[in-house]
Amino acid sequence: MTRLTHALTAMAASAMLAVACPAAAQTGNNDAGRYDRFFIDAMLQRQKGNNDAAFDLLKHCVHIRPEAPEAYFFLAQYYMSLKQNDKAIECFKKAADLEPDNSTYLETLAKAYVTNDNDSLAIGTLEKIVEKETGRIDILEMLVQLYQNRADYDNTIKTLDRLETLEGKNERLTYAKSEIYSLTGDKKAAINEMKKLADQYPNDLNYRGMYGDALLMNGREKEAFDIYTGILKAEPDNYRAQLSMRAYYKQKDMAADADSMTMQLLLNKNTGDDARVYIMRQEIAESENGGGDSTKILRLFDRMMAQPQASTDIAILYATYMSLKKMPQEKIEAVLEKVLAQTPDNAAARLQLVAYAWQRDNLDRVIELCKAARQYNPDEMAFYYYEGMAHFRKDDNDSALNAFQNGISVIGEHSDPDIVSDFYAVMGDLLYEKGRAAEAYAAYDSCLQWKDDNIGCLNNYAYYLSVNGDSLDKAEKMSYRTVKAEPKNATYLDTYAWILFMQGRYAEAKIYIDQAVQNDSDSSAVILEHAGDIHAKAGDIDGAVELWARAAAKDPANKLLARKIRQRKYIKE
């Protein structure tokens, strides 16, 4: 429970207890009783979640008893929720004025001022609190932030001093004060702050290093170097001192020494993986800005990868960098395989390996990786999709359908609409091929709910409807959208022409089927046969026979085509 929640609960309880107490002198006994009843009712409505009723009752309370701070306090919260900040602040201020010793009222008023971008009034209000409650560290920290926002560095330092009195000298406050002094240009004071901390804890080499950093930052490089050298002599593996020494070498443009220190840092057992990643990102950025020579970066990665790794962060960054530099795929895969061996639940690495296997048309590897993902990443929909597609391409439709149906269970409101849409589209195709047309149509409908412009789904759905003579008007509208989207796609033109044919609109169908034939670079037997059928029904028998003959050359085993040519007429299948 937050401080504010505690305060609100206590305030509500206090107000309710007022029923048993005499009314304020400014109100008559009758008004006091009425106020108490309305206020308690307001609190009950608030607890029930009936905020409109509570809001109206509180407004009535302040009308009955204008000197009641608790009513203004709760009323202000409703104005805040209504985004009426000025009214909210007016009510919070009224509550604080009526009960100036109540720190909860003052603190809430200060926060309202901050919300309303009035830091000056917020500061004044918070200062009233710490004037009465000198030990309020949380309020002093808020004041530090507000003074800093206003670039009031004198008061920032004074407030940090007050915090230091309460907490004692520590790294956090000393560093903050040193930074403020640096901002004001007082280099001497910035350095002295860090020196005092180092002198207070002479055996803490980290504080000694921070003092060196302050010297380096403020131009006293030789003194900083001497401090870093002393620390590394006492502790050769002190990674913070190594980091500082690296910064010194870079500042002095001593590239060879900086590179040597970088390598020491990266191989230092005390350097955490987060720090290693940070350093490598710095090195990569500098390399790219300097022309992008990958030799040095790859050498750093190779040296690190030869050491035991606590996590896979470096390996993932290594693979990402190699991808950026278009390194050979097999080298990237080798790193990703190491990542997966160490952390088999790393979905990003597994997905990248799936993508590489897919590019090589290694469908068995795709299936292997995706099946394993069910144990480690059961909620990652992409694995079900790739597994299903791999089975589909291997003509194992039963396994493909099983993979897609398993994947449906992990679809949620935050799933990628493109992937979900394709999921259902392929499922629809598989179900139709298995003769389950009603289920196929349901899958297509689900596909279009997720992405209503899935062109492939629109085409297949429309074509299957037309083949079965189902909902031809619906089919025609869907197919027309595909033609508008891709006006030179022979498959989409053929589907639309065939639907028009099924509707008896032969002249229109002929226009679109001729475009399909013209744009069909493969001279598909199906499209040519459809063209012949449409030309025949449109009255062009000679043209129909010619088209059927071309189709027969592509599909010589088609007996129906032979009959159409022999009898010179359209024969329904």
Side-chain angles (χ1 to χ4, degrees):
M1 187 178 289
T2 64
R3 180 195 307 277
L4 182 57
T5 307
H6 278 301
L8 296 182
T9 304
M11 190 55 57
S14 173
M16 291 178 187
L17 287 172
V19 177
C21 301
Q26 293 92 330
T27 59
N29 289 334
N30 187 44
D31 282 349
R34 287 174 61 222
Y35 171 83
D36 291 340
R37 287 194 298 275
F38 277 114
F39 186 78
I40 291 172
D41 196 13
M43 294 299 98
L44 290 172
Q45 295 299 328
R46 176 186 173 91
Q47 289 175 1
K48 292 177 182 178
N50 300 330
N51 293 317
D52 289 343
F55 183 51
D56 290 337
L57 286 164
L58 287 167
K59 286 194 289 186
H60 200 54
C61 285
V62 298
H63 178 72
I64 296 170
R65 189 175 174 188
E67 74 285 357
E70 64 275 1
Y72 287 106
F73 181 71
F74 285 108
L75 190 58
Q77 295 171 51
Y78 285 110
Y79 281 125
M80 286 294 282
S81 66
L82 293 169
K83 309 298 182 187
Q84 297 182 30
N85 290 356
D86 290 342
K87 285 188 176 181
I89 288 174
E90 183 182 334
C91 288
F92 280 134
K93 188 174 186 308
K94 187 75 173 175
D97 288 345
L98 287 166
E99 197 172 323
D101 291 332
N102 190 311
S103 60
T104 297
Y105 290 172
L106 287 169
E107 186 175 345
T108 311
L109 174 61
K111 289 177 179 177
Y113 282 139
V114 171
T115 301
N116 220 37
D117 295 324
N118 197 329
D119 288 357
S120 177
L121 290 175
I123 287 170
T125 305
L126 293 170
E127 288 287 8
K128 287 181 183 178
I129 297 174
V130 290
E131 185 180 332
K132 301 176 189 302
E133 301 179 31
T134 54
R136 289 291 299 274
I137 288 174
D138 57 331
I139 300 299
L140 288 169
E141 287 178 339
M142 288 177 65
L143 281 167
V144 167
Q145 187 61 57
L146 290 170
Y147 281 130
Q148 202 164 348
N149 289 348
R150 292 168 60 83
D152 185 348
Y153 297 130
D154 287 343
N155 276 314
T156 304
I157 291 291
K158 288 177 184 176
T159 310
L160 286 168
D161 284 338
R162 290 152 79 184
L163 276 168
E164 201 168 69
T165 300
L166 294 171
E167 294 185 7
K169 195 161 190 65
N170 60 51
E171 178 180 335
R172 179 177 66 88
L173 295 177
T174 299
Y175 193 80
K177 287 170 71 176
S178 181
E179 274 198 323
I180 297 299
Y181 282 128
S182 293
L183 286 171
T184 62
D186 191 343
K187 295 183 179 181
K188 184 176 180 180
I191 293 169
N192 283 341
E193 279 299 323
M194 302 308 298
K195 185 177 186 302
K196 280 189 275 185
L197 182 67
D199 289 346
Q200 186 172 336
Y201 301 98
N203 295 323
D204 193 318
L205 295 180
N206 284 332
Y207 290 160
R208 190 77 181 155
M210 290 171 65
Y211 172 42
D213 292 343
L215 289 166
L216 182 64
M217 189 184 306
N218 289 282
R220 291 163 62 175
E221 296 169 341
K222 176 64 170 62
E223 294 169 80
F225 177 79
D226 291 342
I227 287 174
Y228 300 148
T229 301
I231 295 171
L232 290 173
K233 184 176 181 180
E235 285 186 9
D237 287 335
N238 187 307
Y239 95 91
R240 291 186 64 171
Q242 288 180 344
L243 199 62
S244 297
M245 187 67 94
R246 173 174 173 266
Y248 168 82
Y249 286 137
K250 284 183 178 288
Q251 188 166 309
K252 298 289 287 181
D253 291 326
M254 299 168 68
D257 291 312
D259 289 347
S260 174
M261 191 55 65
T262 297
M263 185 67 80
Q264 289 184 56
L265 265 168
L266 293 174
L267 299 180
N268 187 341
K269 63 181 184 300
N270 296 323
T271 306
D273 279 349
D274 286 347
R276 284 191 178 91
V277 168
Y278 175 76
I279 292 166
M280 284 307 302
R281 284 177 176 159
Q282 278 188 326
E283 292 295 320
I284 290 168
E286 289 178 14
S287 172
E288 292 302 303
N289 290 336
D293 181 9
S294 62
T295 307
K296 171 186 169 184
I297 303 300
L298 292 172
R299 184 170 65 252
L300 292 173
F301 273 122
D302 287 338
R303 288 289 300 276
M304 279 190 292
M305 292 296 292
Q307 306 294 318
Q309 300 293 310
S311 75
T312 58
D313 294 347
I314 289 296
I316 291 170
L317 183 61
Y318 188 16
T320 303
Y321 179 73
M322 285 196 289
S323 296
L324 172 71
K325 303 307 287 185
K326 297 181 170 33
M327 300 286 290
Q329 187 173 302
E330 58 271 18
K331 289 192 174 183
I332 303 173
E333 284 188 87
V335 174
L336 291 173
E337 292 286 4
K338 287 183 180 179
V339 171
L340 211 57
Q342 187 173 347
T343 55
D345 61 341
N346 191 306
R350 187 178 293 275
L351 275 172
Q352 189 60 57
L353 285 168
V354 167
Y356 285 144
W358 185 270
Q359 289 170 18
R360 290 199 312 274
D361 208 29
N362 188 346
L363 300 179
D364 289 333
R365 179 60 175 154
V366 170
I367 292 168
E368 177 190 356
L369 286 164
C370 291
K371 278 189 174 179
R374 295 194 189 188
Q375 178 182 352
Y376 300 107
N377 311 103
D379 296 328
E380 181 55 64
M381 189 173 54
F383 293 118
Y384 297 95
Y385 177 77
Y386 277 111
E387 182 187 347
M389 290 301 296
H391 282 303
F392 180 65
R393 287 183 55 191
K394 288 176 62 113
D395 295 323
D396 185 355
N397 289 355
D398 288 337
S399 296
L401 186 57
N402 178 263
F404 283 115
Q405 287 174 329
N406 284 325
I408 287 174
S409 63
V410 304
I411 293 173
E413 58 180 320
H414 300 299
S415 298
D416 185 332
D418 290 335
I419 294 180
V420 177
S421 178
D422 286 344
F423 232 81
Y424 280 114
V426 179
M427 273 186 62
D429 295 342
L430 291 168
L431 288 164
Y432 190 86
E433 284 188 15
K434 295 178 75 66
R436 295 155 63 178
E439 293 174 74
Y441 295 162
Y444 290 141
D445 285 332
S446 295
C447 164
L448 297 173
Q449 283 180 1
W450 281 87
K451 191 170 185 288
D452 66 358
D453 61 347
N454 188 314
I455 302 301
C457 173
L458 286 167
N459 176 75
N460 291 0
Y461 194 0
Y463 183 71
Y464 292 141
L465 285 173
S466 71
V467 167
N468 293 331
D470 297 330
S471 306
L472 290 177
D473 288 343
K474 177 181 178 180
E476 188 268 333
K477 288 176 183 175
M478 288 194 295
S479 182
Y480 184 69
R481 289 182 65 187
T482 71
V483 172
K484 290 290 287 183
E486 296 185 25
K488 293 188 176 182
N489 186 304
T491 299
Y492 298 165
L493 289 163
D494 171 63
T495 297
Y496 188 59
W498 191 249
I499 293 169
L500 295 173
F501 172 81
M502 293 293 291
Q503 290 177 318
R505 297 159 62 182
Y506 304 125
E508 293 175 76
K510 183 174 178 295
I511 294 170
Y512 285 96
I513 198 64
D514 286 347
Q515 292 180 43
V517 171
Q518 181 182 349
N519 286 283
D520 183 18
S521 57
D522 295 329
S523 299
S524 159
V526 173
I527 292 178
L528 289 169
E529 184 175 2
H530 282 170
D533 295 344
I534 291 169
H535 273 258
K537 295 298 281 186
D540 179 17
I541 293 298
D542 290 340
V545 171
E546 180 187 341
L547 288 161
W548 285 331
R550 289 170 62 188
K554 294 275 184 179
D555 185 12
N558 190 324
K559 295 180 180 179
L560 183 60
L561 262 174
R563 288 176 58 202
K564 290 176 185 178
I565 295 168
R566 188 169 57 252
Q567 297 180 28
R568 291 179 59 83
K569 69 176 183 180
Y570 167 70
I571 301 171
K572 187 173 182 179
E573 189 171 351

Short mmCIF file of all heavy atoms in Angstrom, two decimals, residues 61-91:
data_model
loop_
_atom_site.label_atom_id
_atom_site.label_comp_id
_atom_site.label_asym_id
_atom_site.label_seq_id
_atom_site.Cartn_x
_atom_site.Cartn_y
_atom_site.Cartn_z
N CYS A 61 -21.07 18.34 0.70
CA CYS A 61 -20.40 18.48 1.99
C CYS A 61 -19.72 19.84 2.13
O CYS A 61 -19.83 20.50 3.18
CB CYS A 61 -19.36 17.37 2.15
SG CYS A 61 -20.04 15.75 2.52
N VAL A 62 -18.97 20.26 1.09
CA VAL A 62 -18.25 21.54 1.21
C VAL A 62 -19.23 22.72 1.18
O VAL A 62 -18.90 23.81 1.67
CB VAL A 62 -17.18 21.69 0.11
CG1 VAL A 62 -16.14 20.61 0.22
CG2 VAL A 62 -17.79 21.69 -1.28
N HIS A 63 -20.40 22.49 0.62
CA HIS A 63 -21.42 23.54 0.66
C HIS A 63 -21.97 23.69 2.09
O HIS A 63 -22.19 24.80 2.58
CB HIS A 63 -22.56 23.21 -0.31
CG HIS A 63 -23.68 24.21 -0.29
ND1 HIS A 63 -23.55 25.48 -0.82
CD2 HIS A 63 -24.95 24.12 0.22
CE1 HIS A 63 -24.68 26.13 -0.64
NE2 HIS A 63 -25.55 25.33 -0.01
N ILE A 64 -22.18 22.55 2.77
CA ILE A 64 -22.71 22.58 4.13
C ILE A 64 -21.65 23.10 5.10
O ILE A 64 -21.93 23.92 5.97
CB ILE A 64 -23.14 21.16 4.58
CG1 ILE A 64 -24.30 20.67 3.71
CG2 ILE A 64 -23.55 21.15 6.05
CD1 ILE A 64 -24.64 19.21 3.93
N ARG A 65 -20.41 22.65 4.92
CA ARG A 65 -19.35 22.98 5.88
C ARG A 65 -18.08 23.39 5.14
O ARG A 65 -17.20 22.58 4.87
CB ARG A 65 -19.09 21.75 6.76
CG ARG A 65 -18.16 22.03 7.93
CD ARG A 65 -18.06 20.81 8.81
NE ARG A 65 -17.07 20.98 9.85
CZ ARG A 65 -16.66 20.04 10.67
NH1 ARG A 65 -17.16 18.82 10.55
NH2 ARG A 65 -15.75 20.28 11.59
N PRO A 66 -17.96 24.65 4.76
CA PRO A 66 -16.84 25.11 3.93
C PRO A 66 -15.48 25.02 4.62
O PRO A 66 -14.45 25.18 3.97
CB PRO A 66 -17.19 26.58 3.65
CG PRO A 66 -18.65 26.68 3.93
CD PRO A 66 -18.94 25.71 5.02
N GLU A 67 -15.46 24.76 5.96
CA GLU A 67 -14.18 24.69 6.67
C GLU A 67 -13.72 23.26 6.92
O GLU A 67 -12.82 23.03 7.73
CB GLU A 67 -14.27 25.45 8.00
CG GLU A 67 -15.07 24.75 9.10
CD GLU A 67 -16.58 24.80 8.89
OE1 GLU A 67 -17.03 25.43 7.91
OE2 GLU A 67 -17.29 24.20 9.70
N ALA A 68 -14.31 22.27 6.21
CA ALA A 68 -13.97 20.87 6.42
C ALA A 68 -12.86 20.44 5.44
O ALA A 68 -13.13 20.25 4.25
CB ALA A 68 -15.20 19.98 6.24
N PRO A 69 -11.60 20.27 5.89
CA PRO A 69 -10.49 19.99 4.96
C PRO A 69 -10.61 18.64 4.26
O PRO A 69 -10.26 18.51 3.09
CB PRO A 69 -9.25 20.04 5.85
CG PRO A 69 -9.76 19.78 7.24
CD PRO A 69 -11.13 20.37 7.29
N GLU A 70 -11.09 17.62 4.99
CA GLU A 70 -11.13 16.28 4.40
C GLU A 70 -12.05 16.21 3.18
O GLU A 70 -11.77 15.48 2.21
CB GLU A 70 -11.54 15.23 5.45
CG GLU A 70 -12.93 15.38 6.02
CD GLU A 70 -13.00 16.37 7.18
OE1 GLU A 70 -11.96 16.97 7.53
OE2 GLU A 70 -14.10 16.54 7.73
N ALA A 71 -13.14 16.97 3.20
CA ALA A 71 -14.06 16.96 2.05
C ALA A 71 -13.37 17.55 0.82
O ALA A 71 -13.49 17.03 -0.29
CB ALA A 71 -15.33 17.72 2.38
N TYR A 72 -12.64 18.66 1.02
CA TYR A 72 -11.91 19.26 -0.11
C TYR A 72 -10.85 18.30 -0.64
O TYR A 72 -10.61 18.21 -1.85
CB TYR A 72 -11.25 20.57 0.33
CG TYR A 72 -12.21 21.71 0.53
CD1 TYR A 72 -12.55 22.16 1.80
CD2 TYR A 72 -12.79 22.35 -0.57
CE1 TYR A 72 -13.43 23.20 1.99
CE2 TYR A 72 -13.67 23.41 -0.40
CZ TYR A 72 -14.00 23.83 0.89
OH TYR A 72 -14.88 24.85 1.06
N PHE A 73 -10.19 17.60 0.28
CA PHE A 73 -9.12 16.69 -0.11
C PHE A 73 -9.62 15.58 -1.04
O PHE A 73 -9.03 15.31 -2.09
CB PHE A 73 -8.49 16.10 1.16
CG PHE A 73 -7.35 15.16 0.88
CD1 PHE A 73 -6.14 15.64 0.42
CD2 PHE A 73 -7.48 13.80 1.07
CE1 PHE A 73 -5.07 14.79 0.17
CE2 PHE A 73 -6.42 12.93 0.82
CZ PHE A 73 -5.21 13.44 0.37
N PHE A 74 -10.72 14.96 -0.64
CA PHE A 74 -11.26 13.89 -1.48
C PHE A 74 -11.88 14.43 -2.76
O PHE A 74 -11.78 13.82 -3.83
CB PHE A 74 -12.29 13.07 -0.70
CG PHE A 74 -11.67 12.15 0.31
CD1 PHE A 74 -11.76 12.42 1.67
CD2 PHE A 74 -10.97 11.02 -0.09
CE1 PHE A 74 -11.18 11.57 2.60
CE2 PHE A 74 -10.39 10.17 0.83
CZ PHE A 74 -10.49 10.45 2.19
N LEU A 75 -12.51 15.60 -2.67
CA LEU A 75 -13.11 16.22 -3.85
C LEU A 75 -12.04 16.53 -4.90
O LEU A 75 -12.24 16.35 -6.11
CB LEU A 75 -13.85 17.50 -3.44
CG LEU A 75 -14.74 18.17 -4.49
CD1 LEU A 75 -15.82 17.22 -4.99
CD2 LEU A 75 -15.37 19.43 -3.89
N ALA A 76 -10.87 16.97 -4.43
CA ALA A 76 -9.78 17.30 -5.35
C ALA A 76 -9.36 16.10 -6.19
O ALA A 76 -9.03 16.24 -7.38
CB ALA A 76 -8.58 17.81 -4.54
N GLN A 77 -9.39 14.92 -5.58
CA GLN A 77 -8.97 13.72 -6.32
C GLN A 77 -9.90 13.43 -7.49
O GLN A 77 -9.48 12.97 -8.54
CB GLN A 77 -8.91 12.53 -5.36
CG GLN A 77 -7.84 12.71 -4.29
CD GLN A 77 -7.92 11.64 -3.22
OE1 GLN A 77 -7.96 10.46 -3.52
NE2 GLN A 77 -7.95 12.07 -1.97
N TYR A 78 -11.18 13.71 -7.29
CA TYR A 78 -12.12 13.51 -8.40
C TYR A 78 -11.89 14.53 -9.51
O TYR A 78 -11.97 14.21 -10.69
CB TYR A 78 -13.56 13.58 -7.89
CG TYR A 78 -13.97 12.34 -7.14
CD1 TYR A 78 -14.17 12.35 -5.76
CD2 TYR A 78 -14.12 11.12 -7.80
CE1 TYR A 78 -14.52 11.20 -5.08
CE2 TYR A 78 -14.46 9.97 -7.13
CZ TYR A 78 -14.67 10.01 -5.76
OH TYR A 78 -15.01 8.86 -5.11
N TYR A 79 -11.57 15.76 -9.13
CA TYR A 79 -11.27 16.76 -10.16
C TYR A 79 -10.00 16.36 -10.95
O TYR A 79 -9.92 16.58 -12.16
CB TYR A 79 -11.08 18.14 -9.53
CG TYR A 79 -12.38 18.85 -9.19
CD1 TYR A 79 -12.64 19.30 -7.90
CD2 TYR A 79 -13.35 19.06 -10.17
CE1 TYR A 79 -13.82 19.95 -7.59
CE2 TYR A 79 -14.55 19.70 -9.87
CZ TYR A 79 -14.78 20.14 -8.58
OH TYR A 79 -15.97 20.77 -8.28
N MET A 80 -9.01 15.77 -10.24
CA MET A 80 -7.81 15.31 -10.93
C MET A 80 -8.16 14.23 -11.95
O MET A 80 -7.66 14.24 -13.08
CB MET A 80 -6.80 14.75 -9.92
CG MET A 80 -6.09 15.80 -9.08
SD MET A 80 -4.98 16.89 -10.03
CE MET A 80 -3.58 15.81 -10.24
N SER A 81 -9.01 13.29 -11.56
CA SER A 81 -9.38 12.21 -12.48
C SER A 81 -10.17 12.74 -13.67
O SER A 81 -10.17 12.15 -14.75
CB SER A 81 -10.20 11.14 -11.75
OG SER A 81 -11.45 11.65 -11.34
N LEU A 82 -10.85 13.88 -13.50
CA LEU A 82 -11.59 14.52 -14.59
C LEU A 82 -10.71 15.45 -15.42
O LEU A 82 -11.19 16.13 -16.32
CB LEU A 82 -12.77 15.32 -14.01
CG LEU A 82 -13.90 14.50 -13.36
CD1 LEU A 82 -14.86 15.41 -12.61
CD2 LEU A 82 -14.64 13.69 -14.42
N LYS A 83 -9.40 15.48 -15.10
CA LYS A 83 -8.42 16.34 -15.80
C LYS A 83 -8.71 17.83 -15.59
O LYS A 83 -8.28 18.67 -16.38
CB LYS A 83 -8.38 16.05 -17.32
CG LYS A 83 -8.20 14.59 -17.68
CD LYS A 83 -6.90 14.04 -17.18
CE LYS A 83 -6.71 12.59 -17.60
NZ LYS A 83 -5.52 11.97 -16.99
N GLN A 84 -9.44 18.13 -14.52
CA GLN A 84 -9.70 19.54 -14.18
C GLN A 84 -8.67 19.94 -13.12
O GLN A 84 -8.99 20.12 -11.93
CB GLN A 84 -11.13 19.71 -13.69
CG GLN A 84 -12.18 19.37 -14.75
CD GLN A 84 -13.61 19.60 -14.28
OE1 GLN A 84 -13.87 20.47 -13.44
NE2 GLN A 84 -14.54 18.83 -14.81
N ASN A 85 -7.43 20.09 -13.57
CA ASN A 85 -6.32 20.27 -12.64
C ASN A 85 -6.42 21.55 -11.82
O ASN A 85 -6.04 21.57 -10.64
CB ASN A 85 -4.99 20.24 -13.40
CG ASN A 85 -4.68 18.87 -13.95
OD1 ASN A 85 -5.40 17.92 -13.70
ND2 ASN A 85 -3.60 18.76 -14.71
N ASP A 86 -6.90 22.62 -12.43
CA ASP A 86 -6.99 23.88 -11.69
C ASP A 86 -7.95 23.76 -10.51
O ASP A 86 -7.65 24.23 -9.40
CB ASP A 86 -7.44 25.01 -12.62
CG ASP A 86 -6.36 25.40 -13.62
OD1 ASP A 86 -5.18 25.04 -13.37
OD2 ASP A 86 -6.68 26.01 -14.65
N LYS A 87 -9.09 23.12 -10.74
CA LYS A 87 -10.05 22.93 -9.64
C LYS A 87 -9.49 21.98 -8.59
O LYS A 87 -9.71 22.17 -7.39
CB LYS A 87 -11.37 22.38 -10.19
CG LYS A 87 -12.21 23.41 -10.93
CD LYS A 87 -13.59 22.86 -11.27
CE LYS A 87 -14.45 23.93 -11.92
NZ LYS A 87 -15.81 23.41 -12.24
N ALA A 88 -8.76 20.96 -9.06
CA ALA A 88 -8.15 20.01 -8.12
C ALA A 88 -7.16 20.73 -7.21
O ALA A 88 -7.18 20.55 -5.98
CB ALA A 88 -7.46 18.89 -8.88
N ILE A 89 -6.31 21.55 -7.80
CA ILE A 89 -5.30 22.27 -7.01
C ILE A 89 -5.98 23.23 -6.03
O ILE A 89 -5.56 23.36 -4.87
CB ILE A 89 -4.33 23.03 -7.95
CG1 ILE A 89 -3.41 22.01 -8.65
CG2 ILE A 89 -3.51 24.05 -7.19
CD1 ILE A 89 -2.52 22.61 -9.71
N GLU A 90 -7.03 23.88 -6.49
CA GLU A 90 -7.78 24.79 -5.61
C GLU A 90 -8.30 24.05 -4.37
O GLU A 90 -8.21 24.55 -3.25
CB GLU A 90 -8.95 25.39 -6.40
CG GLU A 90 -9.76 26.42 -5.64
CD GLU A 90 -10.93 26.94 -6.46
OE1 GLU A 90 -10.84 26.91 -7.70
OE2 GLU A 90 -11.93 27.36 -5.85
N CYS A 91 -8.82 22.83 -4.58
CA CYS A 91 -9.34 22.04 -3.46
C CYS A 91 -8.21 21.51 -2.57
O CYS A 91 -8.32 21.52 -1.34
CB CYS A 91 -10.20 20.89 -3.98
SG CYS A 91 -11.78 21.40 -4.66
#
